[in-house]
Amino acid sequence: MELHDHEYHDLTVVDVIDETPDTRSFVLEIPPALHEAFTYAAGQFCTFRATIEDESVVRCYSMSSSPDTDDPFTTTVKRVPDGLMSNWMNDTLESGDSIEVLRPTGLFVLHEHDRPVVAFAGGSGITPVISIIKSALATTDRRIVLVYANRGPEAVIFADELERLRGASGGRLSLHHHLDSELGFLDAAQCAALVGDVSFADFYICGPGPYMDTVEAGLAMLGVESSQVFIERFVVQVPTAAPAGREDAVTESVVIKLEQQETTVRYEAGDTILDTARRSGLRPPFSCEQGNCATCMAHLDEGTATMRVNNALSPDEVDSGWVLTCQALPSSAKVVVDYDA
Ligand SMILES: Cc1cc2nc3c(=O)[nH]c(=O)nc-3n(C[C@H](O)[C@H](O)[C@H](O)COP(=O)(O)OP(=O)(O)OC[C@H]3O[C@@H](n4cnc5c(N)ncnc54)[C@H](O)[C@@H]3O)c2cc1C
């Protein structure tokens, strides 16, 4: 993974598309000099920064476009009631404006397996999911099932495009729209029933927290292994209390490898690895600071650390030593982390 470009880039909005009454897509121009930095995999997201009411606001938005089709680079943003960035983008960002954007990142991507793909999307969760579906249709011959839940018909984003993809898929893509206004909330038993005979599939889930919990419960009823399930969480979760025993940690120093430099920083109790790096004047990559986005991931070369929240790294990645530095509290005398790994 390329982790050396940590700068915000000014990108120009070249088109704004009304998708639903509360959702717009923003097509961004990627100048030739940034083509390499903005190469992305279906399902990934970018971090956007804007100054809103004198405050610097940073939020993540996934690409709804696919890098494997002719799509221009596009993100899709749904208004969140009283939300700062989503309303600002929907209200004010127009063609010709520019916005600061970090290079794409994220682990919610199409994994190379032969298994069918079953995707559960809710509301704006369709954004990375439609990207994955377009890539799966374009680059594989896998069977794909999409279950897309919304409050009512007016909230369905990409209704026509999904229908067009289904029609052109030669029977490979099946669509199940679930509208709460007609059927109430989806429950775990209905999820399990929709999966039917493809419980051996790979599952991609993105949507509101309670919806994702329901889908996970449905998949558990079918005995689906966690290694088959890939989840993107949009919701910010409040970090849980520090793990018991942290106050006993004896960490003295943290060695930080960033952009081919090695810096040793004295550790202050209670700081995360990201806090420690920033306190020393370093500028490591970070975005959500809630353990959701993986922008701040680094490899733990030596020592141990405990993550308060991890909504982004898979168990395999954690086993191989990756940590979300915004959530990682060192727990050994010396800790060495590598942002360049
Ligand atoms: C990896 C990732 C990818 C994402 N991709 C997309 C995408 O493709 N499309 C998309 O639409 N969204 C996406 N999101 C969600 C997006 O990043 C934002 O979280 C979302 O748009 C809300 O941001 P906001 O600034 O509008 O709202 P915020 O200002 O962050 O507010 C969110 C909610 O919290 C409430 N709130 C805010 N501050 C407080 C407070 N102090 N106390 C109590 N309540 C408060 C607000 O009222 C509002 O209801 C993604 C998120 C992640 C992590």
Side-chain angles (χ1 to χ4, degrees):
M1 186 182 303
E2 179 58 65
L3 286 177
H4 303 299
D5 178 3
H6 304 149
E7 300 297 321
Y8 280 94
H9 300 281
D10 283 321
L11 297 184
T12 304
V13 177
V14 288
D15 200 6
V16 177
I17 301 157
D18 285 325
E19 303 290 359
T20 69
D22 63 1
T23 304
R24 288 183 149 175
S25 289
F26 300 90
V27 181
L28 301 170
E29 183 177 45
I30 312 295
L34 292 178
H35 275 175
E36 198 181 336
F38 278 80
T39 298
Y40 67 102
Q44 287 193 308
F45 64 89
C46 284
T47 300
F48 290 69
R49 183 169 70 181
T51 304
I52 306 172
E53 292 165 13
D54 294 331
E55 196 187 319
S56 176
V57 182
V58 172
R59 297 285 185 272
C60 308
Y61 293 103
S62 315
M63 275 64 81
S64 49
S65 50
S66 159
D68 300 305
T69 62
D70 291 335
D71 288 353
F73 194 99
T74 308
T75 52
T76 300
V77 181
K78 178 171 174 160
R79 290 179 191 270
V80 169
D82 300 322
L84 268 179
M85 183 74 121
S86 59
N87 288 295
W88 178 84
M89 287 181 78
N90 272 275
D91 287 333
T92 60
L93 201 58
E94 293 178 346
S95 266
D97 290 347
S98 72
I99 185 158
E100 290 182 298
V101 190
L102 285 178
R103 59 164 179 75
T105 187
L107 302 164
F108 186 67
V109 295
L110 184 64
H111 294 267
E112 282 182 26
H113 297 146
D114 292 335
R115 303 192 276 256
V117 170
V118 178
F120 282 89
S124 60
I126 192 65
T127 300
V129 165
I130 195 172
S131 175
I132 286 172
I133 288 175
K134 285 188 275 194
S135 283
L137 285 170
T139 63
T140 76
D141 55 8
R142 296 164 75 173
R143 181 174 156 199
I144 304 162
V145 178
L146 170 65
V147 179
Y148 184 21
N150 279 286
R151 293 205 170 150
E154 71 294 339
V156 180
I157 308 170
F158 306 129
D160 292 346
E161 189 171 3
L162 287 168
E163 192 47 41
R164 189 187 56 72
L165 289 169
R166 189 195 62 73
S169 72
R172 283 171 56 207
L173 172 62
S174 354
L175 285 180
H176 300 277
H177 285 287
H178 178 97
L179 300 180
D180 303 342
S181 55
E182 291 174 3
L183 300 165
F185 288 141
L186 195 70
D187 65 29
Q190 288 169 318
C191 285
L194 283 165
V195 172
D197 62 352
V198 282
S199 59
F200 59 95
D202 275 354
F203 294 87
Y204 291 83
I205 313 173
C206 186
Y211 172 76
M212 294 198 289
D213 294 343
T214 301
V215 175
E216 283 190 274
L219 299 186
M221 286 167 75
L222 293 168
V224 171
E225 300 282 332
S226 61
S227 59
Q228 292 166 253
V229 182
F230 307 101
I231 296 179
E232 182 78 304
R233 290 183 196 279
F234 282 4
V235 277
V236 166
Q237 299 198 338
V238 179
T240 53
R246 177 167 67 74
E247 51 280 13
D248 299 334
V250 289
T251 307
E252 288 155 11
S253 63
V254 179
V255 177
I256 295 158
K257 298 180 184 172
L258 176 67
E259 288 168 355
Q260 278 71 54
Q261 303 276 344
E262 203 169 293
T263 311
T264 302
V265 186
R266 190 174 48 79
Y267 179 66
E268 288 190 6
D271 278 0
T272 62
I273 291 174
L274 180 65
D275 294 332
T276 308
R278 287 196 291 188
R279 189 165 42 73
S280 72
L282 295 174
R283 296 176 63 206
F286 67 93
S287 174
C288 75
E289 294 189 76
Q290 306 284 343
N292 289 331
C293 78
T295 305
C296 67
M297 70 191 275
H299 190 263
L300 199 57
D301 286 355
E302 197 180 318
T304 54
T306 313
M307 283 187 277
R308 294 183 298 205
V309 170
N310 170 24
N311 290 326
L313 298 179
S314 68
D316 283 352
E317 284 161 333
V318 173
D319 287 348
S320 340
W322 291 96
V323 288
L324 301 174
T325 57
C326 73
Q327 299 298 321
L329 297 159
S331 54
S332 55
K334 183 182 175 192
V335 166
V336 180
V337 282
D338 188 353
Y339 281 97
D340 301 327

